[in-house]
């Protein structure tokens, strides 16, 4: 096991790019390699040791035996763990764009907030974010219709817009709230949201599953109510509780399933609407 | 600069040189009989020397290419490489950006490419792109197959006016020849429809596809253009379309080839492009099978026809064609993002990403039909290498196709070990074909024949006085069995040992060592000025009313031409 | 507006000039020239005419450099160019922004410089139709030339676009009023629909006005798609529009012989952004199964589309292309000007024929105030106040020729009508000079020793699909 600890000395307003500093490349590196390595910043490269005090402990035979510990503020360090296939990266602080993007294995943990594109096009491994993340978490590259295909993303805070865009596999679990259009264009996989969703979950989804435990704001016309289900089983996992099940997005003959918590979203139930006095009163008023 | 390519093993089909060891002399930008003592000697002993490649049909520049690049950033990302001192950063796989296109053709030993579809309204754009592509010469052919004026001339049988119109439009758009795509069909697409078969009419235009094609062929021969009509017939990609293809070709039979000088180089009066897409039997995809044997049989008995294949290469690519209704059909099947571009009074184009997988029945059937056509057409001068880039696959796959053509065992291996779907042998005759191309035939289908078909008087051969466009490949054909080494074949044709363009060494050992600006080749018809003025005068009120630009701004100004090579055609 | 008698006092007329204002690129303008000055413009709309005629209003005439006291002072070309070149040569994260009001010939020089130094090249699409480009990258792009609209269209929809005010001749030349080949009665042969929360001037001359609520675009289009698929709506109204109105609208759309959707920033910049266009494109694709439909984004500047097209054929991406590592990268939120500025990354900013000072959000402009800004433009504007070096260019299509691309992608060669002021230079010349000077000052960045082909090209990408 080899532990490489990066202790930040100074930050840069222009982002550092860490796509070359992943376990797959650096498992054989010793201090002299890091001394010689220049990290890309903008159109130039600068010694990585200008920015970090790097401590190496232990030996590694393969990338899987590498543990990178990143201490400090990495809010301007892009591509942490991008394209990694094995090993572990722990960020004690915030991370910039593309954390864990295109990773195929290993684990990235961020004890802070992460910028956009976290876990973009992941095909394996695990990305855990203790804070919030921004747009396009677990999304695809722009124009690409095949997004994240495998692996797992766990966001303990909130996720931004278009979380799990074009999801084609794997799972995303957001423990906080989710902004608009979670799971847009998704074709496979699972998105679970513990918090509330303000608008339009599952826009233009073809297939796959979205489970929302919180309150849903606006729902799209493309979703058709299927009725109430109890303890539904989705891809081998049981989600306890009562849910309203929707199918959609019907606008493109989608077969996706959207489960939203029945208790918190009572007002959505067509049966509830029929017995709700206030709602009926409005309808009668409108018809006049 | 003078060079001697010493001791190469030369394949030059136009001069009937088949694997002779000889020296090639280069003086400045031309091949020479001899050179002075100052000439630099390049030792190419035990290496293959061929004229530089000529691509008979590809889509490399123009509005629909850029639409593809605009809307497929994920394709651009697939082919990125870092810039070097010599070349700019590359990008793109199936639709590489312009500089990349030039570099990759150069590395394969190519020198000339035909851009196969240029709409006159956006010809300036095509020329801007051509000027951006380095290293290769490009002759763009202008689209006439759905042109409103041509449809009217064909309906009224006014061949002479049509010829004058073509002459004028070639000058306006700086085009090389007459391209026809899905005649009448793309006009029907203006209303979301298509034509079915060769005798169908476009809505509101009382003219059939047959009338239009025959009229254009007659006009082409009347002018005596260097290239024949270049046609993509109706019903592309539909099962059971081979009769349409044969009908189309048959209808040209009676038309006499021009006896004028510019038209002398070629033998054909019609070039049918990407035949593979036009050689399907059956009635639907359920019972589709190969019609390659029928199409090949027709070509074998009719020497006025040439074609190129449009070989499927099993890649994720981008299909783009002026056959817009067909692209919408494809979109309905695949559901992937669909782009379309209709151009007023002229044409339409559709684009979608397409994945040809060896595991799917349809893709495999297309792959097998393409190979069948290569193997069933007896005369290699009548069938050319193409993938209809990027439609059936990117042009960088030509070496792979060559490896399939040179190795019957490789083809059988693919069929037998299940690398390709079983439709490849269940529904085609590919498994029964053991013909293998030799280097001489490869040289024919990749350089000599395409140059002859396009009527180039200055390339496609190693004749003294021709352009010094030469490719050298690092293999000794005398102690190498391509049949047993398909991977090696692919490798040697992927990176040329030398690519020489206009007497300048651009590639050495597969690496680019220099770049140069491209030439654009266009046809200037002389002697029709009075007729041209007359038709323009006649069409001008219509143009002013129904086009969206002014006539002055419609024409391609000399400003846009990149080192033009003007082919003058004294038509009268 | 009072009556203005026609201008009769002029030396000569230059015909078929192109208007350098909006994305319509009207190429039928006649310039009336007197004493090397355009005194009147025929055929242009008021926007275009005033831009052409008042070309000397607040015109930047002389190069300027900001001195140590922070005051812009006039200087000679050499000093100004050297100062600018030095800023660029010393930068680590340069951004070259703008380009939409200059020619592709000028862009070519700019791109060479950008690739050499490793800059981000971006244009106004990043703040206007960028979402449209992103959407077409996701969903597709069924477009047609404007002549097709004139000749065929019988249903024209403006969504989130007030063409009457922003592209005044759009309705007159192509979409609404003209007599086309299959629409000989002009306006009477067309149904015009405006979808806009505002009862705009375009809505006033439309047959239908759909005033859906702000930020309701995505939900509204989703409902339209569902209705096209034959579904009955669950709610009585969607985004504030009663269900029966949606049925009626879909009926009109489905029965069109040739329909066109024109959309503007009202669609690209409300909640959902690129996804609003995404779903609108999908709607157009659905409609093609039963009718013939196309769409066109209402591009703003006359060459904003030109930059996207130019960049696509030169580099493979349309806008926001980052060359800092020696190859092209295009990534939403990472290589776009606003994101970079708000993140305070750029350390040198060149603005060519654009006015970020007027258009950018405050956070972005704040950073511009902190870093060297080089302005290449013809008019004084808020960006001049931010600029450290000002290089006065020339007016494309009036004083200088060049190529531009209309909103539908039709290229137009804009010719020169008069001479530029003596102290100004052509944009193309300025950028070329800058390029040459930067090349002397700094070695090319991030050049690879040897060409390394991208390994992905040889991988069978099909595996991902299976």
């Amino acid at each position: 096991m080899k532990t490489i600890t990066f202790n930040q000395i100074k930050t840069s307003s222009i982002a550092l790019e860490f796509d070359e500093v992943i376990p797959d490349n650096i498992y054989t590196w010793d201090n002299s390699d890091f001394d010689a390595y220049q990290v890309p910043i903008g159109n130039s490269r600068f010694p990585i040791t200008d920015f970090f005090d790097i401590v190496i402990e232990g030996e590694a035979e393969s990338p899987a035996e590498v543990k990178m510990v990143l201490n400090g503020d990495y809010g301007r360090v892009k591509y942490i763990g991008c394209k990694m296939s094995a090993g572990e990266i722990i960020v004690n602080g915030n991370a910039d764009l593309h954390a864990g993007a295109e990773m195929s294995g290993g684990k990235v943990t961020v004890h802070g907030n992460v910028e956009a594109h976290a876990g973009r096009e992941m095909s394996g491994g695990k990305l855990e974010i203790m804070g919030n993340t921004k747009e396009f978490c677990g999304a695809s590259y722009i124009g690409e219709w095949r997004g994240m295909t495998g692996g797992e993303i766990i966001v303990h805070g909130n996720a931004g817009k278009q979380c799990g865009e074009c999801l084609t596999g794997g799972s995303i679990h957001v423990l906080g709230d989710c902004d608009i259009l979670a799971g847009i264009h998704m074709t496979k996989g699972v998105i679970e949201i513990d918090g509330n969703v303000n608008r339009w979950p599952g826009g233009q989804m073809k297939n796959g599953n979205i489970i929302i435990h919180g309150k849903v704001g606006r729902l799209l016309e493309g979703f058709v109510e299927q009725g109430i289900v109890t303890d539904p089983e989705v891809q081998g996992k049981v989600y306890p509780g009562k849910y309203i099940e929707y199918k959609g997005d019907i606008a493109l003959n989608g077969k996706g399933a959207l489960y939203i918590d029945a208790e918190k979203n009572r007002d959505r139930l067509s049966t509830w609407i029929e017995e709700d006095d206030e709602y009926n009163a409005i309808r009668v008023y409108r018809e006049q | 600069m003078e060079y001697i390519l010493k001791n190469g093993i030369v394949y030059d089909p136009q001069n009937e040189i088949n694997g002779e060891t000889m020296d090639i002399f280069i003086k400045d930008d031309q091949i020479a009989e001899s050179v002075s003592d100052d000439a630099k000697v390049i030792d190419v002993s035990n290496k293959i020397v061929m004229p530089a490649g000529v691509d008979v049909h590809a889509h490399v520049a123009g509005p629909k290419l850029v639409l593809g690049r605009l809307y497929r950033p994920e394709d651009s990302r697939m082919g990125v490489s870092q810039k070097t001192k010599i070349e700019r950063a590359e990008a793109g796989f199936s639709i590489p950006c312009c500089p990349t296109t030039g570099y990759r053709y150069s590395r394969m030993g190519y020198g000339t490419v035909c851009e196969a579809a240029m709409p006159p309204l956006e010809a300036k754009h095509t020329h801007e792109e051509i000027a951006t592509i380095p290293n290769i010469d490009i002759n763009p052919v202008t689209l006439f197959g759905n042109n409103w004026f041509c449809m009217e001339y064909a309906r009224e049988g006014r061949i002479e006016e049509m010829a004058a119109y073509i002459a004028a439009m070639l000058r306006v758009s700086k085009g090389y020849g007459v391209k026809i795509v899905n005649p009448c069909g793309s006009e029907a697409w203006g209303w979301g429809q298509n034509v079915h078969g060769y005798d169908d009419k476009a809505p509101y235009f009382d003219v059939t596809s047959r009338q239009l094609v025959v009229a254009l062929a007659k006009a082409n021969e009347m002018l005596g253009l260097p290239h024949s009509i270049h046609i993509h017939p109706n019903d592309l990609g539909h099962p059971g379309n081979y009769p349409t293809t044969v009908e189309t070709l048959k209808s040209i039979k009676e038309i006499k080839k021009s006896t004028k000088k510019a038209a002398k180089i070629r033998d054909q009066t019609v070039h049918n492009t990407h035949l593979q897409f036009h050689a399907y039997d059956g009635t639907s995809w359920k019972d589709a099978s190969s019609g390659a044997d029928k199409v090949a049989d027709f070509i074998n008995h009719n020497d006025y026809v040439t074609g190129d294949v449009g070989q499927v290469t099993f890649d994720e690519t981008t299909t783009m064609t002026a056959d817009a209704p067909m692209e919408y059909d494809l979109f309905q099947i695949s559901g992937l993002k669909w782009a379309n571009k209709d151009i007023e009074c002229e044409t339409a184009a559709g684009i979608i990403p397409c994945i040809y997988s060896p595991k799917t029945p349809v893709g495999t059937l297309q792959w097998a039909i393409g190979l069948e056509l290569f193997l069933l057409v007896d005369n290699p001068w009548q069938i050319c290498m193409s993938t209809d880039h990027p439609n059936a696959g990117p042009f960088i796959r030509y070496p792979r196709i060559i490896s399939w053509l040179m190795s019957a065992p490789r083809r059988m291996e693919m069929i037998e070990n299940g690398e390709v779907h079983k439709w490849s042998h269940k529904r085609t005759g590919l498994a029964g074909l053991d013909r293998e191309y030799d280097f001489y035939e490869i040289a024919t289908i990749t350089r000599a024949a395409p140059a002859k078909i396009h009527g180039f008087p200055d390339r496609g051969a190693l004749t003294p006085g021709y352009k010094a466009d030469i490719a050298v490949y690092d293999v000794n054909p005398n102690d190498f069995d391509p049949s047993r080494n398909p991977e090696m074949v692919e490798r040697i044709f992927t990176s040329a040992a030398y690519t020489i363009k206009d007497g300048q060494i651009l590639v050495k050992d597969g690496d680019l060592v220099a770049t140069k600006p491209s030439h654009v080749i266009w046809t200037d018809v002389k002697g029709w000025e009075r007729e041209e003025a007359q038709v323009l005068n006649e069409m001008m009120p219509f143009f002013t009313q129904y086009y969206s630009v002014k006539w002055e701004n419609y024409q391609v100004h000399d400003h846009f031409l990149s080192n033009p090579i003007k082919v003058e055609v004294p038509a009268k | 507006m009072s009556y203005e008698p026609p201008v009769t006092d002029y030396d000569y007329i230059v015909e078929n000039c192109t208007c350098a204002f909006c994305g319509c690129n009207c190429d039928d303008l006649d310039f009336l020239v007197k004493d090397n000055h355009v005194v009147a413009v025929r055929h242009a709309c008021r926007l275009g005419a005033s831009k052409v005629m008042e070309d000397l209003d607040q015109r930047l005439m002389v190069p300027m450099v900001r001195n140590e006291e922070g005051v812009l002072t006039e200087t000679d070309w050499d000093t100004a160019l050297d100062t600018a070149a030095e800023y660029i040569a010393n930068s680590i994260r340069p951004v070259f922004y703008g380009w939409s009001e200059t020619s592709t010939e000028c862009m070519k020089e700019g791109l060479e410089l950008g690739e050499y130094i490793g800059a981000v090249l971006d244009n106004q699409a990043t703040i206007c139709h960028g979402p449209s480009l992103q959407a077409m990258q996701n969903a597709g792009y069924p477009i047609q030339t404007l002549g097709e609209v004139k000749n065929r269209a019988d249903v024209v929809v403006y969504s989130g676009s007030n063409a009457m005010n922003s592209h005044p001749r759009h309705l007159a030349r192509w979409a609404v009023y003209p007599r086309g080949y299959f629409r000989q009665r002009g306006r009477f042969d067309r149904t015009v629909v405006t979808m806009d929360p505002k009862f705009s001037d375009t809505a006033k001359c439309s047959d239908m006005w759909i005033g859906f609520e702000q930020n309701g675009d995505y939900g509204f289009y989703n409902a339209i798609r569902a209705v096209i698929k034959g579904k009955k709506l669950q709610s009585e109204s969607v985004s504030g529009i009663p269900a029966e109105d949606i049925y009626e609208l879909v009926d009109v759309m489905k029965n069109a012989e040739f329909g066109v959707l024109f959309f503007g920033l009202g669609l690209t910049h409300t909640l959902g952004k690129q996804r609003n266009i995404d779903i609108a494109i999908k709607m157009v694709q659905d409609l093609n199964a039963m009718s013939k439909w196309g769409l066109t984004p209402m591009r703003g500047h006359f060459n904003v589309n030109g930059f996207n097209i130019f960049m696509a054929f030169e580099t493979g991406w349309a806008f926001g292309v980052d060359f800092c590592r020696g190859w092209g990268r295009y990534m939403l939120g990472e290589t776009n000007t606003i994101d970079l500025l708000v993140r305070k990354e750029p350390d040198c900013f060149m603005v060519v024929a654009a006015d970020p000072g007027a258009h950018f959000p405050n956070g972005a402009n704040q950073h511009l105030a902190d870093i060297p800004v080089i302005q290449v433009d013809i008019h004084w504007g808020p960006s001049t106040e931010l600029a450290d070096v000002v290089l006065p260019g020339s007016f494309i299509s009036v004083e200088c020729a060049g190529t531009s691309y209309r909103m539908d992608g039709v290229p137009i060669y804009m010719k020169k009508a008069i001479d530029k002021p003596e102290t100004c230079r052509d944009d193309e010349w300025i950028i070329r000079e800058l390029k040459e000077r930067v090349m002397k000052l700094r070695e090319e960045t991030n050049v690879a020793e040897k060409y390394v082909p991208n390994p992905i090209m040889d991988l069978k990408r099909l595996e991902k699909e299976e």
Side-chain angles (χ1 to χ4, degrees), chain A residues 17 96 98 141 165 221, chain C residues 231 275 325 330 334 343:
Chain A
E17 299 189 15
D96 204 2
H98 306 289
Y141 181 66
E165 181 238 14
E221 272 295 331
Chain C
K231 196 194 150 203
R275 297 306 170 186
R325 294 282 294 272
Y330 162 70
E334 184 188 359
R343 284 162 58 89

Side-chain angles (χ1 to χ4, degrees), chain A residues 156-216:
Chain A
H156 289 264
N158 304 329
K161 296 186 172 75
Q162 307 189 32
C163 171
E165 181 238 14
C166 293
L167 193 71
T168 11
S171 71
I172 301 175
H173 187 178
V174 180
L175 278 74
D177 297 341
C178 219
D179 207 335
I180 62 165
L181 291 167
I184 181 168
H185 287 300
M186 72 186 272
T187 51
K188 217 175 166 182
V190 185
I191 300 178
E192 187 182 356
I193 301 161
D194 291 1
N196 303 327
V197 175
N198 53 2
R199 269 189 196 200
W200 308 326
Q204 300 176 72
M205 71 191 280
K206 281 203 187 103
N207 212 329
N209 302 283
I210 303 177
I211 299 117
I212 301 170
H213 301 296
K215 172 109 175 99
V216 177

Side-chain angles (χ1 to χ4, degrees), chain C residues 1-5 19-22 24 26 28-29 31 39-55 163-170 172-173 201 395:
Chain C
M1 227 170 85
S2 58
Y3 171 74
E4 289 168 28
C19 176
F21 188 78
C22 74
C24 290
C26 297
D28 57 348
L29 270 48
F31 292 170
V39 289
V41 180
R42 287 189 185 149
H43 305 148
C45 66
R46 293 186 75 81
L47 295 169
S50 60
K51 183 174 176 192
V52 172
M53 281 158 60
E54 285 158 31
D55 59 326
M164 204 64 180
N165 293 17
S166 63
H167 300 71
R169 293 187 78 207
H170 191 268
R173 285 189 79 200
D201 286 342
F395 194 164

Side-chain angles (χ1 to χ4, degrees), chain C residues 32-300:
Chain C
L32 277 53
V33 181
K34 184 178 170 60
D35 301 334
N36 195 39
H37 185 69
V38 181
V39 289
V41 180
R42 287 189 185 149
H43 305 148
C45 66
R46 293 186 75 81
L47 295 169
S50 60
K51 183 174 176 192
V52 172
M53 281 158 60
E54 285 158 31
D55 59 326
L56 290 180
D57 181 37
Q58 301 199 350
R59 182 69 185 258
L60 294 166
M61 299 294 278
V62 200
M64 289 184 287
V65 173
R66 198 171 289 278
N67 66 13
E68 277 160 22
E69 284 90 58
V71 181
L72 276 178
T73 42
E74 295 187 354
T75 180
D76 58 295
W77 272 99
D78 263 331
T79 316
L81 287 167
D82 282 337
T83 316
E86 209 157 306
Y87 281 136
I88 295 171
N90 291 331
S91 64
I92 292 173
R93 197 85 172 108
V95 175
F96 301 162
Y97 168 84
W99 311 102
S100 299
E101 299 207 294
T102 186
S103 61
T104 53
E105 288 80 3
C106 171
M107 294 171 197
K108 211 169 182 103
E109 301 294 336
L111 177 63
E112 275 177 35
L113 173 57
E115 286 188 0
Y116 181 87
I117 198 76
V120 173
L121 278 103
D122 202 0
N123 80 329
Q124 280 93 326
T126 203
I127 51 165
C128 67
H129 272 286
S132 311
L133 289 162
Q134 292 158 17
M136 73 188 234
Q137 286 162 356
N138 274 305
Y141 198 38
I143 189 178
Q144 70 297 307
T145 60
L146 291 163
E148 280 283 287
V149 181
K150 171 162 83 175
N151 290 332
R152 295 185 206 264
D154 63 338
V155 176
V156 175
V157 180
Y158 286 99
S159 184
S161 165
N162 184 5
M164 204 64 180
N165 293 17
S166 63
H167 300 71
R169 293 187 78 207
H170 191 268
L171 292 83
R173 285 189 79 200
W174 299 306
V176 178
Y177 299 106
R179 293 160 193 261
Y181 188 73
F182 297 107
R183 301 289 166 228
Q184 289 294 337
R185 297 189 307 148
R187 176 71 180 87
F188 303 107
D189 282 346
R190 305 182 211 266
T191 308
V192 182
V193 183
T194 298
M195 299 187 192
D196 204 322
K198 192 174 87 173
F199 186 60
S200 62
D201 286 342
T202 313
K204 284 174 201 161
C205 57
S206 303
D207 300 301
M208 283 171 89
W209 171 53
I210 314 287
F212 58 74
E213 66 167 40
Q214 276 186 26
N215 290 335
D217 317 54
Y218 192 88
F220 182 66
Y221 277 99
N222 189 278
I224 293 183
R225 284 195 77 189
V227 174
I228 291 172
K229 286 271 144 78
K231 196 194 150 203
K232 202 174 163 301
L233 294 176
Q234 296 153 316
S235 326
E236 287 161 32
S237 73
V238 179
S239 300
I241 302 298
E244 49 270 28
D245 285 11
I246 297 177
Y247 293 132
E248 194 192 327
L249 174 66
V250 169
D251 223 37
V252 169
M253 287 173 144
K254 276 163 98 165
N255 292 321
E257 284 179 345
F258 189 103
V260 188
L261 173 73
F262 292 104
F263 57 93
L265 300 194
L267 202 57
T268 62
H269 278 68
T270 47
L271 184 67
K273 295 213 168 185
Q274 74 265 49
R275 297 306 170 186
N276 296 337
I277 318 294
D278 180 330
I279 198 160
I281 294 170
K282 289 280 179 199
M283 178 195 80
V284 165
Q285 291 173 347
D286 292 345
L287 283 165
N288 269 293
M290 52 203 76
S291 170
K292 179 70 202 285
W293 273 78
L295 52 77
T296 306
M298 298 286 282
R299 305 308 296 266

